[in-house]
Amino acid sequence: MEAINASISFDQRLAAQDIAGSRAHAAMLAATGIVEPSDAEAMREGLLTVLSEIETGYFAFSTALEDIHMNVEARLKEVIGDAAGRLHTGRSRNDQVATDFRLWVRDQLDALDGALDALIRALLDQAEAGADWVMPGFTHLQTAQPVTWGHHMMAYVEMFARDRSRFADARARMNESPLGAAALAGTSFPIDRQMTADALGFDRPMANSLDAVSARDFALEFLGAASICAMHLSRMAEELVIWSSAQFRFVTLSDRFSTGSSIMPQKKNPDAAELIRAKIGRIFGANVALMMVMKGLPLAYSKDMQEDKEQVFDAADNLMLALAAMTGMVSDMQGNRAALEVAAGSGFSTATDLADWLVRVLGLPFRDAHHVTGSLVALAEAKGVDLPDLTLDEMTSVHDGITALVYDVLGVHNSVASRTSYGGTAPSQVRAQMARWRKILG
């Protein structure tokens, strides 16, 4: 029973939040006249002593005391005596753990905001370095149209910025205090819940005591946003694995984020990217696991909720690690401009530009232009050349209206420069978006 019941092996990570909540509660008990000011001061000072012992590694955690709350309270009694017994007045372990957990998740959200800021800035630096480098844009991992390196980097800026926004939204929604909800029904003591909420940086107390002790949607929302962010990291990691291969040679990853082979001396493996791609499954799994814990629980608290924390701790740790590794890789990687440009012109990547030219200059309906372009692609493919390599006579054999002006749109640089619509790949648009983001980030 002790083995299955105890949570101290993992919830000791809540020590700082638990002690912060207890110190706020002690101050409120004194301010409302529920305990003597001298007792409250002894509790607050004694809690700092306990925190110091935990942080310096001198604290002896006991599984017999089950959790972080009882471990702290037992040690507080050894430090200050009987006054420690008054600390639990007007609260329960139910609202205590709900408060601790919210504080911990809030701290993680703040840390993730900083980590995402660093990654976004690294991506901006890469975009700036290659705002006018041409590279292939893909659909179905097949060459589609030329884009710019800067445009591709800025796509990830947008993705990770939305992740940052989701975390900010989650933080704002969860920033309410459960403290004072007690076991589930509130308390008959004249407590001041707004005072403790203010002391802990919450916007307000939670308005329903049943909800306060039983809600874990704040943790689920964190895991949901973390899962989306993790998915974005995994997509980029996959691209780095592909791009760094000998078949692509789009990027070179630094030795700091690559490893060699034990028997093949030529190998430079993108291990950091591969590990990011794999660790993401743990974050997805945590989201599903906590959903399963919560899905059948009646109000209010059930011991099942003890299983909420390990999932969130593991997900937060792995997401922070993945963000740090990705930021390092993005900061250090070198784009291979020559290889990118060669690839940009392959696979008939300017076919759409040709179709657009037929519409714009010759006035063909787009479906007809699409058919003509398809015929020209087939001709080039049969001759083993790319579209710009077809002679004008060969082009006019498909449509006699084509003129030499068509060659102006068949180069990859002309192609990307023409995509000046808002959000397009033209270097002018990429630089405008970079400037917008530099201003937003400050």
Side-chain angles (χ1 to χ4, degrees), residues 31 38 60 81 116 148 187 263 310:
S38 58
L116 281 164
T148 52
T187 177
I263 64 170
E310 285 182 284

Side-chain angles (χ1 to χ4, degrees), residues 150-388:
H151 193 55
H152 202 108
M153 295 298 107
M154 291 303 294
Y156 282 109
V157 167
E158 296 290 338
M159 288 186 205
F160 291 120
R162 288 195 298 274
D163 290 325
R164 196 178 182 190
S165 176
R166 270 184 284 271
F167 286 130
D169 288 346
R171 190 192 193 286
R173 207 165 2 260
M174 63 158 283
N175 203 35
E176 297 181 336
S177 174
L179 193 56
L184 76 162
T187 177
S188 58
F189 290 98
I191 61 172
D192 185 343
R193 293 189 63 207
Q194 187 63 55
M195 179 180 174
T196 51
D198 291 342
L200 295 171
F202 288 114
D203 295 329
R204 63 192 70 84
M206 294 184 73
N208 185 285
S209 60
L210 279 170
D211 179 48
V213 298
S214 64
R216 293 297 183 270
D217 54 348
F218 68 92
L220 287 165
E221 189 168 5
F222 166 75
L223 290 175
S227 294
I228 297 172
C229 181
M231 177 268 293
H232 289 153
L233 285 168
S234 188
R235 293 184 73 181
M236 187 167 196
E238 172 69 4
E239 292 209 310
L240 293 181
V241 171
I242 294 171
W243 288 359
S244 62
S245 68
Q247 288 71 30
F248 273 72
R249 297 187 300 109
F250 284 5
V251 298
T252 300
L253 300 178
S254 75
D255 290 342
R256 294 201 311 151
F257 292 95
S258 306
T259 64
S261 165
S262 61
I263 64 170
M264 294 171 283
Q266 85 281 9
K267 294 289 293 299
K268 189 174 185 180
N269 299 323
D271 282 5
E274 292 173 0
L275 286 166
I276 288 172
R277 193 174 56 186
K279 282 183 176 293
I280 298 321
R282 296 170 69 160
I283 298 168
F284 291 173
N287 193 13
V288 173
L290 186 53
M291 283 283 195
M292 293 300 291
V293 168
M294 298 302 299
K295 71 174 183 62
L297 299 186
L299 298 183
Y301 182 83
S302 297
K303 192 69 170 182
D304 308 52
M305 292 185 193
Q306 185 166 289
E307 290 296 306
D308 58 2
K309 297 165 204 65
E310 285 182 284
Q311 321 295 342
V312 176
F313 292 162
D314 188 72
D317 290 346
N318 281 284
L319 184 57
M320 285 295 292
L321 182 58
L323 282 167
M326 183 60 79
T327 301
M329 280 190 293
V330 170
S331 298
D332 286 1
M333 72 182 182
Q334 297 292 320
N336 186 343
R337 185 175 185 177
L340 289 164
E341 185 158 343
V342 169
S346 67
F348 309 106
S349 65
T350 55
T352 304
D353 297 276
L354 173 56
D356 289 347
W357 185 88
L358 292 169
V359 172
R360 189 173 61 252
V361 177
L362 302 187
L364 269 65
F366 184 80
R367 287 302 174 197
D368 293 346
H370 189 281
H371 176 73
V372 170
T373 301
S375 298
L376 288 168
V377 167
L379 177 62
E381 195 168 31
K383 294 178 67 64
V385 298
D386 209 339
L387 284 172

Side-chain angles (χ1 to χ4, degrees), residues 19-75:
I19 287 172
S22 290
R23 294 186 80 242
H25 187 68
M28 180 275 295
L29 292 175
T32 53
I34 297 171
V35 303
E36 291 296 322
S38 58
D39 285 343
E41 185 61 23
M43 287 186 273
R44 285 171 54 80
E45 290 301 314
L47 286 165
L48 289 179
T49 299
V50 175
L51 180 61
S52 177
E53 291 176 354
I54 292 171
E55 290 178 340
T56 55
Y58 288 107
F59 192 94
F61 292 104
S62 168
T63 56
L65 293 171
E66 295 184 24
D67 55 33
I68 186 62
H69 324 297
M70 296 303 293
N71 270 262
V72 168
E73 189 172 324
R75 178 58 183 146

